[in-house]
Amino acid sequence: MINKLVDKIKKTNAPVVVGLDPMLSYVPEHIQKKAFDEFGETLEGAAEAIWQYNKGIIDTTYDLIPAVKPQIAMYEQFGVPGLQAFKKTVDYAKEKDLVVIGDVKRGDIGSTSAAYAVGHLGKVQVGSKKYSLFDEDFATVNPYLGTDGIKPFVDVCKEENKGLFILVKTSNPSSGEFQDRLIDGRPLYEWVGEQVAKWGEDHMGNDYSYIGAVVGATYPEMGKVLRKVMPKSYILVPGYGAQGGTAEGLKPYFNEDGLGAIVNSSRGIICAYKQDKYAKFGAENYADASRQAVIDMIEDINSIF
């Protein structure tokens, strides 16, 4: 799947991923009203509104981008109906030939880690049959528990030709409380990055590993170091736009070939219609505003090369 992701980035000339992280407050009133008219002000109504919102954004952006990244927490908050909306979103994105990065940040050990891996990336055995479940192409994983937590995911990825993005240096302000702590004179995130590179050697694509890393756009100097530590790992870069990351600051995350990183924007794309810059589109045409925001983001990022 890493080969497909790289090929689609080359084809679209767009090293970007749209984060489908919907809050109900993001969904325009006309979509909410239609969903509530059908299902009432229920969890099912909320899930339907979110699904229709996502569908509109996918329909207007799929030809521009290589991938989407739904954040599962935004769906889990609506219980089982929310998870059904998550599954619909994943399936529809794949119908549009988009790579799907499941932002699930799982992290456990042994059989529990294997169960998470099967649920999101693999197939579960039921009697004589096997079933794909959420079926994302990549999943985000927390490495805090070490190899015991990562190996079950890697094993499933090998079986399914799928991949991981492992948290290395996150974009949130308090990430340094642990991630920047020095161990034998080097910050923890460097040690984690080295381990990601080692895990990745065991599951390589054509040019890049199936095992990538998450490194926030808000720390470009650290990104520069980690790019050297993990030369064959694709870097998923959150924090662009709404969290303060800039295009100029993204350059260190890429290799000289212009590949090696994919930049996420969530609110900046899916809530574009609420920004002054795109207000002319209005709530009725929220998806067209998202399309324009994607075009602007691609142009902004490509300006650094």
Side-chain angles (χ1 to χ4, degrees), residues 79-91:
V80 172
L83 287 175
Q84 290 171 334
F86 179 86
K87 175 59 173 168
K88 284 181 181 179
T89 298
V90 171
D91 288 349

Side-chain angles (χ1 to χ4, degrees), residues 2 138-141 164-170 189 192-194 196-197 209-216 226-227 230 232-238 253 260-262:
I2 188 63
F138 290 84
T140 57
V141 180
L164 305 175
F165 285 102
I166 297 173
L167 304 182
V168 174
K169 176 59 183 171
T170 56
Y189 63 78
V192 177
E194 281 191 358
V196 167
S209 171
Y210 284 78
I211 311 303
V214 178
V215 181
L226 289 167
R227 177 71 283 166
M230 306 177 293
K232 294 295 184 181
S233 298
Y234 236 81
I235 297 177
L236 171 62
V237 188
Y253 298 80
I262 185 166

Side-chain angles (χ1 to χ4, degrees), residues 73 75 102 104 115 143 169 175 245 254 262 265 280 290:
Y75 304 84
V104 299
K169 176 59 183 171
S175 67
F254 291 87
I262 185 166
S265 180
K280 63 184 180 183
S290 293

Side-chain angles (χ1 to χ4, degrees), residues 239-255:
Y240 169 86
Q243 292 186 51
T246 64
E248 190 56 38
L250 294 171
K251 200 165 187 178
Y253 298 80
F254 291 87
N255 285 316

Side-chain angles (χ1 to χ4, degrees), residues 244-303:
T246 64
E248 190 56 38
L250 294 171
K251 200 165 187 178
Y253 298 80
F254 291 87
N255 285 316
E256 291 182 3
D257 59 5
L259 299 171
I262 185 166
V263 183
N264 177 76
S265 180
S266 299
R267 281 171 291 166
I269 301 298
I270 66 174
C271 288
Y273 78 98
K274 292 191 173 189
Q275 301 174 33
D276 290 343
K277 183 177 180 181
Y278 305 107
K280 63 184 180 183
F281 289 94
E284 288 283 341
N285 299 308
Y286 77 97
D288 294 323
S290 293
R291 179 180 177 85
Q292 187 59 53
V294 167
I295 291 170
D296 292 344
M297 179 182 176
I298 293 169
E299 182 180 346
D300 188 33
I301 291 174
N302 285 337
S303 71

Side-chain angles (χ1 to χ4, degrees), residues 8 12 14 16-20 53-69 92-93 96-98 265-266 268-270 272 286-298:
K8 285 188 72 67
T12 57
V16 305
V17 54
V18 172
L20 296 174
Y53 176 66
N54 286 348
K55 183 176 182 295
I57 291 168
I58 291 170
D59 283 341
T60 58
T61 61
Y62 76 91
D63 60 317
L64 301 174
I65 59 175
V68 292
K69 182 179 70 65
Y92 191 67
K96 295 295 188 180
D97 199 37
L98 291 167
S265 180
S266 299
I269 301 298
I270 66 174
Y286 77 97
D288 294 323
S290 293
R291 179 180 177 85
Q292 187 59 53
V294 167
I295 291 170
D296 292 344
M297 179 182 176
I298 293 169

